[in-house]
Amino acid sequence: MARFLLAALVSASLVSSTAAAATGADGPCDLTLSLHFLKAETDCKASSGVCPSSCLDALKALDTVCAGKKYSYTDTRNGEMVEVALDWDTDKARWLVLYQATINMGFGTNDACNEVIHDYQLEHINDCNEAYYNMAVDLMFGYYCTSPKSDASTCHENCQESIDKVEAVCNPEGGPLGTIYLDNDQGTMDTSDDVYTELTYGSGALLGAS
């Protein structure tokens, strides 16, 4: 059930670029992010095994419009999809995770640009919730955590980096355990009874286990 909910969340969030803006979100920032999705195959399409500089440049350029602003993001809470306004400066990783999922599902053989996006994404993960969400999406849709890059006996180094990031951010040496927020499955096929829950890393909560 947790995998189904995560897939539904990714699908809904990818569509959120055309949905109504969340209260408090900045209109020009939302528009810029939506247009960036549409240009993904142009900006981040490798040629002869080389990712063009336009890929990283386009990602960095988003700060020009969105720095200090909030953007619309579709989250799932208590079994319902809701529009929330996230801070671009601290929560851009949530958007970057979805952007990478778009690249993977759209043209997943694009190895060179996938690595550029992967590195930029990991660089901007700020908290345990983002690290967890990044790993969960990578394990389902990620270019490096799925076949043919990874299988039951082999984990690609970039997939391992996503896994290691969770441990580093959620269980820092000498620091407190991190916090994860997710809809807790109640063991039924009906998502309407799911409960939006705050969980502490290491509580058995990873990938939706209660």
Side-chain angles (χ1 to χ4, degrees):
M1 176 66 75
R3 288 175 64 86
F4 171 78
L5 289 175
L6 184 58
L9 174 58
V10 170
S11 298
S13 296
L14 291 175
V15 175
S16 70
S17 59
T18 59
T23 301
D26 180 73
C29 176
D30 276 353
L31 177 60
T32 298
L33 297 179
S34 296
L35 293 176
H36 190 71
F37 267 119
L38 297 177
K39 294 176 61 182
E41 195 165 358
T42 301
D43 291 333
C44 290
K45 187 168 185 177
S47 176
S48 300
V50 178
C51 186
S53 59
S54 60
C55 184
L56 183 57
D57 289 345
L59 289 169
K60 291 180 176 180
L62 297 175
D63 287 344
T64 303
V65 178
C66 293
K69 308 291 179 55
K70 292 186 177 183
Y71 68 97
S72 298
Y73 182 89
T74 303
D75 204 356
T76 179
R77 298 183 179 183
N78 300 317
E80 296 183 359
M81 298 297 179
V82 295
E83 284 292 315
V84 296
L86 297 183
D87 187 284
W88 178 253
D89 294 343
T90 58
D91 300 317
K92 72 175 67 174
R94 294 297 294 267
W95 186 88
L96 291 170
V97 169
L98 295 178
Y99 182 70
Q100 186 191 47
T102 302
I103 298 294
N104 294 340
M105 291 187 286
F107 39 104
T109 58
N110 191 356
D111 187 72
C113 285
N114 268 286
E115 183 154 15
V116 169
I117 298 167
H118 166 83
D119 290 345
Y120 189 76
Q121 180 179 309
L122 285 186
E123 179 185 344
H124 290 88
I125 288 176
N126 294 314
D127 58 42
C128 182
N129 196 55
E130 290 179 346
Y132 160 78
Y133 184 71
N134 172 64
M135 181 196 68
V137 172
D138 267 1
L139 291 176
M140 289 188 66
F141 305 105
Y143 178 68
Y144 296 108
C145 292
T146 55
S147 179
K149 296 295 183 181
S150 294
D151 55 33
S153 59
T154 303
C155 182
H156 189 281
E157 63 179 345
N158 286 352
C159 179
Q160 188 63 51
E161 284 181 355
S162 292
I163 297 171
D164 292 344
K165 188 73 172 182
V166 175
E167 183 66 15
V169 177
C170 296
N171 187 22
E173 184 176 355
L177 292 174
T179 301
I180 299 165
Y181 299 89
L182 76 165
D183 259 20
N184 233 359
D185 177 25
Q186 300 303 299
T188 70
M189 292 301 293
D190 186 358
T191 60
S192 65
D193 63 354
D194 291 352
V195 179
Y196 189 65
T197 308
E198 177 181 307
L199 299 166
T200 300
Y201 180 72
S203 64
L206 289 183
L207 295 181
S210 57

